[in-house]
Amino acid sequence: MKQFLQACRYFFGYAFVFSFFINILQLTFSIYMLQVYDKVLTSYNLSTLTVITVGAVICLVVMALLEWIRSRLLVRAGIEFDNMLGEPVLHHNLSNATQPAGQPQQESQGTLRDVQLLRNFLGGNAVFAFFDLPWMPIYLIFIFILHPSLGWVAVLGGILVFILGLTTERLTRKRLEAATQLNVHAANFTGAAMRNASIVRSMGMVGNITSRWRKMNNIIINLQTQASKNAGLIHSISKALRVGLQVAIYAVGAYLTVMHESTAGVMIAASIIMGRSLAPIDQAMATYKQSLEAKTAYKRLDKLLTMQPTSQPMELPAPKGNLTAENLYFVVGNRQLIKNISFHLPAGASLAIIGPSAAGKSTLCKLLLNIWTPSAGKTRIDGADIMSWDAERLGPYIGYLPQDVELFSGTVAENIARLGEVDSQKVIRAAQIAGVHPMILALPKGYDTPIGELGTALSGGQRQRIGLARALYGDPKLIVLDEPNSNLDEAGDACLIQAILNLKQLGSTVVLVTHKPNILSIVDNIILMQDGQIALSGSRDDVLNKLEALRQEQVRQAELARAQQESLNPSKQEVNSDEPQEADNANQ
């Protein structure tokens, strides 16, 4: 953050200088009143009144102009802060948002809301107190010039008000910080509930959600109420103290006037100047909550930017698509999701990752694309560690289709073009390779059809197929498809198979996760994952033959077990059949 403050030093420097002249000009009314009482009212000279009035008006106009310029300077500083901090903060937040739920997160990390809060703070009235406070001694010196006794009254008043301000900070800061953190947690909770409103309503969870939110909100209200109660008490004492200081300075001034050591004009001027000298402290106390929020936001942003890399990785040649996984491990909490996975996939080859649910297939895909950082091991593209690539430069060569496809608000073409500049030829080419060109043309406005927020105007299958076209935009060299046919019908499956065949002809490296066996016939290699590690790997035919042999062995074992069970059943049946005969003989 220091470098950003350094970049804005001109705005703050000029604002500080202007604050000096503004605070000097704030004495205009006090000096005017002094001259009126001591010169005009005693001499009855209207020309003097005219001159000092004109002078006062000029000073007030200049003061208003300087106030406006200072305000614009600080607003401009806030805008510069936003321009400089917005992109790096958003970049970090997007990168951090991809980490799994159980992975340790950076606590109290800065967000775009913090950037906006700082910008509004610099453009608001709260910041003026910090620029006016350093010039408070000017007023006290002026009061001392009027009379030392009046000056000591003003100094004592300033000390008392400052102590009350510190007391307010100590009594409210921790509670307000805790309330702010809980408020963020409550907002995240309600946001998750709103995103899953259909589940919440259909399963009768509205009452439970409301009850849990109410508990969190009650804690927030209690913390804020305690802070407000303490602050209100101090504020009431401060207001009474302010009035008491005015009484004290008038009493001392009146005494000095009666003793002929001062004049009525000095008494009134000293009272006005003392009020102005304490104004920055009062303003700081009144805007204390805003200042505290700005300070907290500054610390969060400073912590975030300190973690940012200071240098960009060296630019590497365009990748060809060679993919290597070296001893990959991934641990979340105490769970080891990926265990020692290694393989090599040459450029243009295809790989299917199969296995039961929760075997770690999707996790492996995210590690291969550097979406999640492995706990140990490396993913390499063309021999280079993927973490050494610049993500923005590598991105156009990567295609990714996650399990849960989400599209952005905009047109179909904009989503396929990855929200960049729409190249109609590349968009249509990606759609044709993905086999969705006819489907898109059948939409109301074709490629210009708005899809709504999160693609709600499209069905699940349509979103998945458009997401596939987005993954294939720009002929990427490495494509990772995580269950690309989970929402597809037979026609969609056929288009997906043809798309993968097209990618193989283009020389792209394809990694796909699937549970459907029909797509395995077109891949070159297969990896079977179980419990986060590779159980089987090799060429398609070898793995399928081994799986078939395992299946036949399981069938044989099942038939043997059934035969053994059946061999035991007849004896049981004979015993059971003899029991009725014995019972009948006994009855006879």
Side-chain angles (χ1 to χ4, degrees):
M1 286 293 291
K2 291 182 180 178
Q3 62 179 346
F4 295 106
L5 290 174
Q6 187 73 10
C8 295
R9 66 185 184 277
Y10 297 109
F11 298 110
F12 297 132
Y14 284 119
F16 188 76
V17 172
F18 286 151
S19 296
F20 169 75
F21 292 104
I22 289 170
N23 281 274
I24 291 294
L25 292 173
Q26 289 281 3
L27 297 170
T28 299
F29 180 66
S30 304
I31 296 174
Y32 180 80
M33 288 294 297
L34 180 63
Q35 297 302 316
V36 167
Y37 273 90
D38 291 350
K39 299 291 179 64
V40 176
L41 295 182
T42 56
S43 65
Y44 300 96
N45 192 335
L46 295 180
S47 60
T48 302
L49 177 62
T50 303
V51 171
I52 62 174
T53 302
V54 171
V57 170
I58 294 174
C59 290
L60 293 175
V61 170
V62 174
M63 183 182 71
L65 180 62
L66 293 178
E67 285 267 19
W68 179 78
I69 294 174
R70 183 177 68 169
S71 175
R72 298 306 304 165
L73 284 170
L74 294 175
V75 169
R76 186 60 190 169
I79 295 173
E80 287 296 320
F81 256 72
D82 191 283
N83 292 337
M84 291 186 293
L85 293 174
E87 289 188 10
V89 169
L90 178 59
H91 182 275
H92 180 88
N93 290 160
L94 289 174
S95 300
N96 195 62
T98 60
Q99 295 304 312
Q103 194 79 339
Q105 302 286 336
Q106 294 294 336
E107 295 183 359
S108 302
Q109 66 171 9
T111 63
L112 289 177
R113 181 182 175 275
D114 292 324
V115 177
Q116 183 181 13
L117 196 151
L118 272 181
R119 185 190 67 210
N120 293 337
F121 176 77
L122 291 174
N125 294 326
V127 72
F128 292 148
F130 297 95
F131 284 94
D132 292 336
L133 198 59
W135 308 115
M136 182 178 171
I138 294 177
Y139 300 106
L140 298 178
I141 292 172
F142 193 81
I143 296 175
F144 270 102
I145 292 174
L146 294 177
H147 198 282
S149 299
L150 297 174
W152 286 115
V153 173
V155 169
L156 178 62
I159 292 173
L160 292 176
V161 172
F162 184 73
I163 291 174
L164 288 176
L166 289 179
T167 305
T168 303
E169 193 272 341
R170 293 180 64 86
L171 291 177
T172 60
R173 177 174 55 84
K174 291 184 178 180
R175 288 190 176 93
L176 289 176
E177 288 178 348
T180 300
Q181 293 179 358
L182 281 174
N183 209 6
V184 171
H185 179 68
N188 293 335
F189 177 76
T190 54
M194 294 298 293
R195 289 193 300 272
N196 297 277
S198 57
I199 297 174
V200 171
R201 182 175 179 183
S202 62
M203 298 176 65
M205 297 170 60
V206 175
N208 297 334
I209 294 289
T210 304
S211 176
R212 180 165 294 193
W213 171 83
R214 172 54 61 190
K215 291 178 181 178
M216 289 188 290
N217 198 53
N218 286 340
I219 296 174
I220 294 170
I221 291 174
N222 289 335
L223 288 170
Q224 291 177 340
T225 301
Q226 286 293 328
S228 298
K229 183 171 69 174
N230 293 333
L233 176 62
I234 301 298
H235 184 65
S236 301
I237 296 173
S238 177
K239 288 180 68 175
L241 176 64
R242 287 293 308 275
V243 176
L245 289 173
Q246 292 291 334
V247 171
I249 202 164
Y250 269 106
V252 173
Y255 172 79
L256 294 173
T257 302
V258 170
M259 299 301 294
H260 302 289
E261 296 182 20
S262 182
T263 63
V266 168
M267 176 183 65
I268 296 174
S271 173
I272 296 172
I273 295 172
M274 186 185 69
R276 183 66 193 91
S277 68
L278 300 180
I281 300 178
D282 291 337
Q283 187 176 7
M285 292 177 62
T287 58
Y288 170 71
K289 185 178 179 181
Q290 300 176 38
S291 302
L292 179 62
E293 290 176 348
K295 179 182 177 182
T296 306
Y298 178 88
K299 288 183 177 179
R300 285 196 295 257
L301 291 171
D302 185 55
K303 182 178 179 181
L304 179 145
L305 295 172
T306 303
M307 298 185 300
Q308 291 286 348
T310 55
S311 60
Q312 292 293 329
M314 187 181 72
E315 186 172 331
L316 296 172
K320 297 179 181 178
N322 292 291
L323 179 64
T324 304
E326 294 182 354
N327 305 318
L328 289 178
Y329 286 85
F330 188 66
V331 179
V332 175
N334 295 323
R335 296 179 56 210
Q336 202 170 51
L337 302 183
I338 296 295
K339 307 170 186 176
N340 193 26
I341 287 186
S342 299
F343 65 85
H344 174 70
L345 196 63
S350 56
L351 170 68
I353 303 175
I354 61 175
S357 298
K361 304 183 295 296
S362 297
T363 301
L364 178 59
C365 290
K366 290 174 175 152
L367 295 179
L368 295 177
L369 296 178
N370 199 33
I371 297 173
W372 291 352
T373 304
S375 303
K378 296 182 183 298
T379 298
R380 296 186 182 276
I381 295 181
D382 291 359
D385 186 353
I386 192 171
M387 297 184 70
S388 66
W389 288 81
D390 178 66
E392 289 300 308
R393 187 174 183 278
L394 181 62
Y397 299 97
I398 298 292
Y400 177 51
L401 180 67
Q403 277 188 14
D404 300 322
V405 181
E406 288 194 5
L407 302 178
F408 298 93
S409 178
T411 65
V412 172
E414 289 171 340
N415 274 273
I416 294 177
R418 305 183 181 186
L419 299 184
E421 184 178 352
V422 176
D423 187 325
S424 57
Q425 293 183 352
K426 288 184 178 181
V427 169
I428 294 174
R429 175 178 170 80
Q432 289 175 338
I433 295 175
V436 297
H437 181 64
M439 183 201 78
I440 295 174
L441 293 179
L443 295 175
K445 294 184 179 180
Y447 284 91
D448 295 323
T449 302
I451 64 172
E453 292 289 337
L454 303 178
T456 52
L458 304 175
S459 67
Q462 287 175 323
R463 287 198 300 271
Q464 193 163 40
R465 296 180 70 183
I466 291 175
L468 176 61
R470 178 179 63 187
L472 306 185
Y473 179 78
D475 296 336
K477 293 300 181 181
L478 173 61
I479 297 100
V480 178
L481 309 174
D482 192 355
E483 297 194 29
N485 49 3
S486 59
N487 292 322
L488 300 183
D489 53 16
E490 292 183 3
D493 264 340
C495 291
L496 175 63
I497 291 173
Q498 186 59 49
I500 295 174
L501 292 174
N502 292 336
L503 291 172
K504 293 179 66 176
Q505 291 179 355
L506 293 172
S508 298
T509 306
V510 180
V511 177
L512 65 94
V513 175
T514 182
H515 286 288
K516 296 186 178 181
N518 62 330
I519 204 171
L520 297 179
S521 61
I522 62 171
V523 299
D524 302 320
N525 305 279
I526 296 177
I527 285 178
L528 170 64
M529 291 188 64
Q530 289 181 350
D531 192 26
Q533 55 190 345
I534 296 178
L536 279 177
S537 67
S539 65
R540 174 195 62 209
D541 295 335
D542 289 343
V543 174
L544 290 179
N545 290 336
K546 291 178 181 178
L547 289 175
E548 179 62 23
L550 287 173
R551 188 188 68 81
Q552 291 180 358
E553 178 64 21
Q554 290 174 353
V555 171
R556 190 178 70 82
Q557 293 293 338
E559 290 178 349
L560 286 174
R562 190 182 304 111
Q564 291 176 356
Q565 186 176 3
E566 289 176 354
S567 66
L568 296 175
N569 285 340
S571 61
K572 292 182 179 180
Q573 291 177 359
E574 289 178 1
V575 171
N576 292 335
S577 63
D578 289 342
E579 288 178 356
Q581 291 181 355
E582 293 176 357
D584 291 341
N585 293 334
N587 291 331
Q588 291 177 0

